[in-house]
Every structure is written in C-alpha cells, then in structure tokens.
Amino acid sequence: METFAKIHHALKELSRWLVWLGGGALLISAIIVTVDVISRKFIGITMSGSDELSGYVFSASTTMAYSYCLLHRSNVRIDAFYNMMPQALRATLDVIGLALLMYYMWFMTEAGVLAFLESWELNSVSITTLETPQWIPQFFWMAGLVLFFAMLIFVTLYSLVALLQRNWDLVGRIAGIPSIADVIEEETHGVDVMEEAAAGREV
Amino acid sequence: MAVWILLGLLILVTAAVPVAAVLGILSFVLDEIAMDGRLTFGIGEIVWDKSKEFILVAVPMFILLGEIMLRAGIARRMYGAVIQWLSWLPGGLMHANIGSCTIFAASSGSSVATAATVGTVAYPEIEKRKYNESLFLGSLAAGGTLGILVPPSINLILYGLLTDTSVPELYLAGIFPGLMLAFLFMAVIIFACLYRKSWGGDPVRTTWGERIRTLPDLLPPVLLFAVVVGSIYAGVATPTEAAAVGVVFAIGLAAWHNFQAPIEKPIDLLPIGVGFGAAIGCMFMGLNVAYAALGILAFLAVFTGVRKARSFPFWLTIALFVFPLTAFMIYAPASDVTRIMFGVLVVLCAIGFGMKKGVLAPKMFVESFEGTLRTTAMIMLIVFAAIFLNFVLGFMGITQAMLNFIAELGLTPVETILLIVVFYLILGMFMETLSMMLTTVPVVFPIVMSLNVAEFSDVWFGILITLLMEAALITPPIGVNLYVVQGIRARGGKFNDVAIGAVPFVIAMLVMIGILIAFPGVATYLPNQFF
C-alpha cells in the first residue's frame, strides 16, 4: 500500500509539472497571437500560422492536463444521488466510475495512437502554408492520451485495492467527488478566500 | 430499444459515472447497434480535427484571463468600488453584489470563482449591516450566474462549436439580455426592500469624492472587457485572438494592480485620459506610428500607476524605450516573422522585468496555469465525447426520429419552445449545467431549427439555452452556485436559506425567458445590425 501511495504522490508531482509546461506554452502562444494581432492591425505585417501553432499547443496541453484532472479528482460527475448514499456504496461507485472511464479512454487512446501512426507512415502535412508534418503535434497529443490512460490504470488499481481493504476514506481521497469546500479551495486557492472569510476581513 | 438505452443512461448518471465516460459509452453502444461499430474507428481523426480547432483555443485563453484577474486580487478591490456607486439604492450592498458579479463575470470563466470571490468579500457585511441573510445570499448566487451570458462566455463558444453558429454573433446577442437580467435582479431587490424595509440593511454613506477615488479600481475589468469585446466587433480580432490579447492585457493589469499608487484628486486621472485621447485621435487621423507608440505609452501610464505617470523623467524614460522599439517593429529591414518574434521577446522581457520588480508573482502564473488547465481538461474531456456522440447521432438518424416525434405532437412553435424550456428547467434541477448543454444540444437544436420560425434563430436559441443554464445553476437540489454560496458561510446555517433566497431571482430569470420568447429581437437585434 505504501508503494502505491508513493507512486500516487510522484504521479501527482509529474502531472503538475506537465500542467506548468502546458500553461507556459499556452501563455507564449497567447503572446505570439497578441503581437500578431497588434502588428497586423497597426503596421500591416502578419505571421501566418500563429493560429495553427496555438491550435497544436492547445491540443497537446489539454491531453497532458487530463492526468492532472484525474489525480485532482476534477472529472465532472453528477452527484445528485451520490451524496445521499452510504460511504461504502459511494466508494464502490468511485471505482466503477473509474473503470468505465478507463473503458472509454481505451478506445480514445487506441484511436489517438492509430491516428498518430497513420500520419507518421503517410507523412501527412497540414493543408496550410506552414505544411506542418502532422505527426509532430499529434505525437504530443497522443502522448498525453497514453499518459492519461496509464494513470487511469494505476488509479483504478490503487482505489480497487483500497476498496477491497474496506478503506472507504482512502478511496474517497483517491477517486471520490470532492466536497464543495474542496472545490472552492481548488478554484480560489491563490486568493486565500477561506482564511479571509474566517477572519471576517473588512471590505 | 430506446427505453433500454435511456434506462442504462439513467443508471450510469445516477451512479455518478464521469460524464465523459457516460457520453463515450453511449456513443459506442449506439454505434454498435446502428453501424456495427464502424464509426468508432474514425474517432481518432474526428477528435484530432477538433482538438486543434482555433476557435476552441479561446476556451483556455478566456479561463486563463479570468484566473489572472482573480489571482491578482482585482475582483476584491473592484467590489469596494462598486459599493460606492450602487449602494444608495434600496437594498444597498445587494446591488453591489449583482453589479460586481456582472463586471467580474464578464472577465472570468468560472461562475464558481465569481460567486466565491465576491461572496467572501460581501459575507461579513450581512451581520454588520443587518441584511436579510437569505435574500443577500440569493443575490450572490444569482449574480454569479451572469458570467455565462455576458460575453466573453465559454458556454457560448461551446454552443457555437456544436451547432456551427457564429461566436461573435452569439457574443453580441448576449450583451443585451445579460444586462437586462442584471437590471431585473436589481429590480427584484428594490421591490423586496420596499416591501420589507428591514431586509435592506443599514444604508451605506458615501460622497462623490469617495466615488471618484475608487474609479481606478473599476477600470481594469471595464478596460479588459472593452479590449476583448471591442476588438471582436471592430473586426480587428477573432474571438480566439481577442482572448489571447485579453490574457496579455490581464497580465499588464495585474502588474498595474500591484504597483498602483492611490488616486487622491480627480485630476490624477488626467494622464490616462490624455494618453488614450491622443491615441484615439491619432487613429482617426491615420497616424499609425504615432498611434502605436502612444497606445503603448497610454498602456504603460496605466501600467505603472498614476502618481508616477505625472513625473517628467518617467515619461522620458518610457519614450526612450518605446519609440525605438516601435520604430524597429515598423521599419526594421527584417522578415515579418522576425519582427513579430522581436515583439514577442519584448513582451516576455516585460513580464520577466515585472517578476524581478515584484509586481508579477511567479506564484500567480503557476496557480493560474493549474487552474486553467484543470478546468480546460475537465471541460474538453466532455466536449470531445459530446462531439463524437453528435457525430454518431447524425449518422443514426436519431435526430430525424426525434423530429418526427415532435411533429406528431402537433404543437405550435411557441408551444414546442415552452416544452423545451420546461424540459431544461426540470433537467437543470439535477444536472451539472455544462454537461447538460453538451448532452442535449445535439438533439434539441435540430428541433428548434425545424420549427422554421425566422425569429427563433440559432443565435437566439443559444441565448435561450444559456439563460436556462443560468437558472439551472441556482435551482435546488443541484445548483452549483447555491452550494458555493453555502460553502462560504463562515458562520454556517441551513442550505435552505440560500435556496429560498434564490427563488425571487429564479422568477426574474423566468420573466427574462418569457421576454426572450415573446420578443426574440431582444437577443437578435444587435447581431442583425452588425452581420
């Protein structure tokens, strides 16, 4: 179990690094697009392909962020009835939900890998002035999918083991739906909203 | 068969299976039944094509820009300013709740973040000024919903993508209903507080001098809105490009926010006014070089704080840097790409400089990245599954079957629309809003289009469904914004307080929905003027 916890922690760190990388890439493409827009408007020069490049950055950073989303329990689930259920049933549903997500992602990942291999073999390029070989951006996109799938396998296994040990709390921490307090924490942690609310700070 | 599929769907949803998996598995099953699983082979290409779609890039960009505004603490200061301007109305701070939610929501992608941020600042005032707690909390929950209607809205982008509707048109269409709804909310508060004076709490006293002093705190979100939405309608930028410009602009605003000197007299606002006035003047006279330089100057004046901007050495230093840089961008004998990359480098250096000077915290970037990509991944996982489902449904002719079914009911167009409204109101009580839209639009949209009523256009329906999603955010038992407001109550209390407080605002939304159906022009008039 301890090994599981260690790996889980390491994967969390890895996914955070990937998200920083993806976010940085998004920021840089935002800057490129901005400068492109301004210079196009005011001095009449433009760089064709800034839209295409940011599309690639977007596709890769999104799939890379799937893992982060999984490890931070941010997948959207309908909790209307979930919240009324006893803890043991909730834990069981958590594992079933993960397994079904894995089933779906198996097809997606396979399709992603096949799409990449096809572009690689056919050497297909984009029908734009950049003529980007499609396998390059597709590789990063696919790598994100494969990584996500690998993490899904791990998290499903981890939570299954915890479930079999009847450790409902642990299952909840790995795979459960976060409470609303957790969600607010996640969405505003940079602002330290909760502490200030507790302190009753002046406007 | 259809019954079994629906039953299976219901079980999966009840069992809290991730929505993306529900949609994906539903697509596989449908594909297996109708086409022997042939479409599933194509999923890779379909998803890849959409993955690099430029319009979708707007989604993380808008989220990122909202994150930066949030984490720079701009929202909080703005609330203090809005109080000064709106709280003379009966109902006091509750109007500031609606007002600052409207402004902040216009720049933020997350209604959770909006409600939570404005909510925590406002919450202590309930006790201090003796407001009716229920109504006050309701105004916070309702105000937070405005974000998905007032542009830039992520929901409208996703709707546009699924239905092939122009996003700029949707944005234009959203402005007027969004403002109307905000006014309806305020009217609700006024009526409630005229009816029971004690609900309105102790009045806030303020002076005009006080109001003017807080103006700069209102400026950042208003400027950002003007840059983003303005550049779309001036034809300068596509929605995605506008979002990217907004991100860079928001970073500038964050730096300004951390650096800002206080405004003491109205005259302190003069340099900004002169800078922008000169820039706009040059634009009309067609002076490109001067315009670009002055634009940057005006921006920097805002950037570095008003106090500093009044000193001569400051302007000299800026001028020494800005004019050569601008001149290089314009006249350098290099290729276009090189000149643009030079510009990119300048922006990156400026950000690095800001970090070194401590006006831009690296922590802010890191947290914004995490928040942005978490939300993006969360949304996109569902969006791609919905796109695939859309594709499968299109092949299967389920849409046609649905259309025939509706035709057999023999309803008038308005009756059909009302039926759809009721359907969404009920669904919205139980379902998370974005998944609600993504799962139902592929089926419901063709129905609305088949009504063949000119006024009930694709743009109009986008606004209607967004209003319905807003209602879903504050209708119990499942209403995300209700939970968020409940979550920020430091003193605790019953969930019912929030739910009951939201009821008057739900009624206001229903009125708005009625207006939109009776007078579709409310949404379509503006876009029709432009397109």
Side-chain angles (χ1 to χ4, degrees), chain A residues 20 42 68 76-77 187 191 193, chain B residues 16 19 76 110 120 291 370:
Chain A
W20 290 353
F42 295 116
Y68 183 86
V76 181
R77 299 166 65 186
E187 296 239 350
V191 198
V193 167
Chain B
V19 175
R76 197 174 320 154
S110 155
T120 37
Y291 176 65
E370 285 182 22

Side-chain angles (χ1 to χ4, degrees), chain B residues 118-249:
Chain B
V118 177
T120 37
V121 194
Y123 180 72
E125 301 291 318
I126 299 178
E127 203 180 32
K128 217 182 295 170
R129 298 188 192 273
K130 306 185 191 66
Y131 282 99
N132 176 296
E133 182 155 4
S134 198
L135 189 65
F136 195 94
L137 295 172
S139 74
L140 284 170
T145 67
L146 288 165
I148 59 176
L149 186 55
V150 180
S153 146
I154 290 161
N155 294 51
L156 287 179
I157 294 181
L158 296 177
Y159 173 85
L161 184 87
L162 276 180
T163 61
D164 269 327
T165 309
S166 138
V167 176
E169 278 188 57
L170 283 169
Y171 275 11
L172 266 184
I175 294 177
F176 199 58
L179 289 179
M180 255 176 99
L181 190 59
F183 282 123
L184 278 176
F185 284 169
M186 290 168 76
V188 164
I189 296 170
I190 291 177
F191 281 129
C193 293
L194 289 179
Y195 171 67
R196 278 283 158 81
K197 202 133 201 225
S198 61
W199 288 357
D202 299 338
V204 182
R205 273 172 232 296
T206 178
T207 59
W208 277 102
E210 196 66 34
R211 284 183 184 151
I212 287 169
R213 215 161 307 165
T214 57
L215 260 188
D217 294 338
L218 276 180
L219 215 57
V222 173
L223 274 181
L224 188 70
F225 181 77
V227 165
V228 171
V229 179
S231 61
I232 297 176
Y233 299 121
V236 178
T238 64
T240 310
E241 287 171 343
V245 173
V247 168
V248 176
F249 197 76

Side-chain angles (χ1 to χ4, degrees), chain A residues 94-113:
Chain A
D94 290 339
V95 179
I96 293 176
L98 274 179
L100 287 176
L101 185 61
M102 195 162 80
Y103 173 74
Y104 163 60
M105 283 315 292
W106 167 247
F107 284 93
M108 271 292 283
T109 312
E110 192 190 14
V113 174

Side-chain angles (χ1 to χ4, degrees), chain B residues 329-509:
Chain B
M329 281 284 288
I330 298 172
Y331 300 114
S335 72
D336 291 359
V337 176
T338 317
R339 282 146 77 188
I340 287 173
M341 281 307 153
F342 172 77
V344 172
L345 203 67
V346 170
V347 176
L348 280 175
C349 287
I351 292 177
F353 184 69
M355 282 190 188
K356 193 164 173 289
K357 286 283 168 196
V359 288
L360 287 173
K363 185 167 164 258
M364 179 191 82
F365 284 101
V366 166
E367 282 173 353
S368 301
F369 291 164
E370 285 182 22
T372 304
L373 279 173
R374 194 172 43 81
T375 313
T376 309
M378 198 166 96
I379 296 176
M380 284 306 152
L381 200 59
I382 304 176
V383 169
F384 291 134
I387 286 172
F388 184 58
L389 178 64
N390 206 355
F391 184 75
V392 174
L393 286 180
F395 262 90
M396 282 185 66
I398 283 204
T399 328
Q400 197 51 48
M402 200 67 196
L403 290 180
N404 293 341
F405 172 72
I406 292 286
E408 271 170 31
L409 291 179
L411 300 169
T412 65
V414 173
E415 282 167 355
T416 314
I417 294 287
L418 288 178
L419 193 71
I420 291 173
V421 168
V422 172
F423 164 74
Y424 274 113
L425 285 176
I426 295 172
L427 198 63
M429 289 178 183
F430 301 98
M431 237 178 134
E432 193 269 333
T433 46
L434 196 68
S435 0
M436 177 174 98
M437 182 185 86
L438 292 173
T439 40
T440 53
V441 158
V443 181
V444 177
F445 180 73
I447 297 178
V448 177
M449 289 304 104
S450 73
L451 296 176
N452 263 329
V453 179
E455 282 81 29
F456 296 165
S457 64
D458 46 358
V459 173
W460 172 84
F461 186 62
I463 303 304
L464 179 70
I465 200 167
T466 310
L467 271 172
L468 287 163
M469 287 171 70
E470 289 191 71
L473 282 172
I474 56 168
T475 43
I478 305 298
V480 177
N481 278 26
L482 297 179
Y483 287 147
V484 172
V485 172
Q486 174 68 13
I488 56 159
R489 291 171 78 184
R491 287 194 309 276
K494 282 203 229 73
F495 176 69
N496 270 357
D497 300 343
V498 191
I500 291 170
V503 170
F505 299 99
V506 175
I507 295 171
M509 282 176 178

